[in-house]
Amino acid sequence: MKLTDLRVAVLGLGLMGSFHTELLTSRIRGVQVTVVNDFVQAKAEEVAARIGARVVADPIEAIKDPEVDAVLLATPGNTHAEQVNACLDAGKPVLCEKPLTTDVDSAYAIVAKEAALGKQLIQVGFMRRFDAEYAALRELIVDGGLGNPLMVHCTHRNPAVPPHFNSEFMIRDSVVHEVDVARFLLGEEIASVQVIKGVATSTAPEGTNDPMLVIFEMTSGRIVTDEIYVRTGVAYEVRTEVVGESGSALIGLDQNLQVKSTDGRWGGRITPGFVERFGQAYAVELQRWVDAAGQGTIDGPGAWDGYAAVAVCEAGVQALTVDGKVEVQLQTRPEAAR
Ligand SMILES: NC(=O)c1ccc[n+]([C@@H]2O[C@H](COP(=O)([O-])OP(=O)(O)OC[C@H]3O[C@@H](n4cnc5c(N)ncnc54)[C@H](O)[C@@H]3O)[C@@H](O)[C@H]2O)c1
């Protein structure tokens, strides 16, 4: 370990925590995972032994540990409020997997607390911003390559999900990514959310609307549509098309491998899962976070972005039981959170 390496604690060693730990210990430069923590002690001990880290059994003590400069939170969303607050109290940069918290009040309290500190320590894990295609699409929009962007159409399809993915969970866990994509691409807030439910796939549990069409109206009046369908049985398909006054652009087609077969059929490759689609984006996200955290700051979506996403998802969940639009309630953005 170099003296200049950022010493990171990883909290939560499930799907995302294991994935991030693997990246941090194999591909990311300038970082050492010194401390690991998981609710399941045996899991933490197994990972610690493998990567040469130390287990700290209590998550708050892991955050406060003197051999920890920065924290990666991959714990379940309902633990984030307490753990992010502990990072702020300790003055340590944190990469918090989405969601920032699971309710708007605790999310805004964090925005206000960080603003009062006067420095940005919280980065939220909206990794699509680090995906080369999304970054290029944003650049195209900002450079005026499409003229005024008028509409965005998103498609978000998973091959399969666990049974607990009900309609509310689909909004909070899946649509949340398009919430951030819409805000990132168009550079404005979401004003309202509407959910249109159609016919559910026969594999959806009773009472779950899968697929759904979610419609965001941005503050400018621009419309963003999102088809969310998480039990396709096919593959992981995430597409985004921006329609502008002078052109349109589409990403996520996976057209890099086109196959023409002798029986007269043709086809391409579809990414089977999120790791194949966004693996590189997670690596870029982590490298930029490590570099920024070493300077005591962030380089990516911050606490306000996390709060705005929570507020939009709250409106989205209300929209599940309402005919028509539900307005997003956003508090005032502190100057320091800009
Ligand atoms: N950015 C993305 O693409 C993406 C994808 C999936 C999940 N996520 C987010 O990542 C986070 C983790 O999701 P996951 O799929 O890895 O979940 P998971 O259930 O696979 O893993 C969570 C881990 O945290 C541990 N844990 C539970 N409570 C804890 C606590 N209080 N302190 C420490 N550890 C605790 C569990 O034992 C488990 O090992 C969630 O916030 C989720 O929304 C983000």
Side-chain angles (χ1 to χ4, degrees), residues 10-18 20 37-41 43 57-60 73-80 82-83 96-100 125-128 169 172-173 176-177 236 274 278 282 285:
V10 178
L11 274 61
L13 298 163
L15 176 73
M16 288 313 295
S18 309
H20 286 312
N37 163 273
D38 194 281
F39 186 68
V40 180
Q41 181 86 358
K43 205 187 283 189
D58 178 74
I60 305 303
L73 277 190
T75 47
N78 59 4
T79 66
H80 290 179
E82 187 193 2
Q83 294 169 354
C96 174
E97 262 305 343
K98 58 81 187 163
L100 176 59
F126 289 120
M127 78 300 179
R128 289 195 193 173
F169 204 82
R172 294 193 195 275
D173 201 80
V176 66
H177 283 293
Y236 186 73
F274 75 97
F278 288 115
Y282 291 113
E285 174 188 53

Side-chain angles (χ1 to χ4, degrees), residues 90-104:
K92 295 186 182 177
V94 53
L95 176 59
C96 174
E97 262 305 343
K98 58 81 187 163
L100 176 59
T101 73
T102 46
D103 69 284
V104 279

Side-chain angles (χ1 to χ4, degrees), residues 89-275:
D89 290 339
K92 295 186 182 177
V94 53
L95 176 59
C96 174
E97 262 305 343
K98 58 81 187 163
L100 176 59
T101 73
T102 46
D103 69 284
V104 279
D105 290 343
S106 62
Y108 189 72
I110 284 172
V111 169
K113 183 168 172 167
E114 187 197 50
L117 277 180
K119 55 181 172 182
Q120 289 193 293
L121 293 176
I122 303 163
Q123 184 164 326
V124 181
F126 289 120
M127 78 300 179
R128 289 195 193 173
R129 295 190 184 212
F130 302 91
D131 172 68
E133 285 193 284
Y134 277 103
L137 189 55
R138 160 115 178 114
E139 211 175 295
L140 186 67
I141 294 169
V142 171
D143 290 349
L146 300 176
N148 184 21
L150 304 174
M151 279 202 177
V152 180
H153 301 295
C154 306
T155 306
H156 185 152
R157 298 182 191 151
N158 288 45
V161 290
H164 68 269
F165 266 69
N166 60 19
S167 306
E168 176 173 339
F169 204 82
M170 285 164 63
I171 301 280
R172 294 193 195 275
D173 201 80
S174 304
V175 173
V176 66
H177 283 293
E178 276 77 26
V179 168
D180 190 63
V181 160
R183 297 181 63 256
F184 173 61
L185 289 178
L186 296 175
E188 57 175 322
E189 297 296 350
I190 295 173
S192 72
V193 188
Q194 184 174 359
V195 177
I196 297 175
K197 306 163 202 159
V199 175
T201 175
S202 60
T203 57
E206 181 72 27
T208 294
N209 302 102
D210 186 10
M212 296 184 277
L213 183 66
V214 183
I215 302 173
F216 306 136
E217 191 176 355
M218 310 303 290
T219 47
S220 65
R222 292 177 178 126
I223 296 294
V224 178
T225 66
D226 182 23
E227 176 210 299
I228 180 72
Y229 183 15
V230 297
R231 295 173 176 84
T232 65
V234 179
Y236 186 73
E237 298 174 78
V238 170
R239 292 194 278 276
T240 301
E241 182 174 29
V242 178
V243 183
E245 273 189 33
S246 56
S248 65
L250 174 62
I251 61 168
L253 269 183
D254 299 305
Q255 274 186 327
N256 47 348
L257 179 65
Q258 288 268 337
V259 182
K260 292 173 185 166
S261 59
T262 46
D263 62 359
R265 293 156 68 92
W266 68 272
R269 173 179 159 270
I270 314 180
T271 45
F274 75 97
V275 172

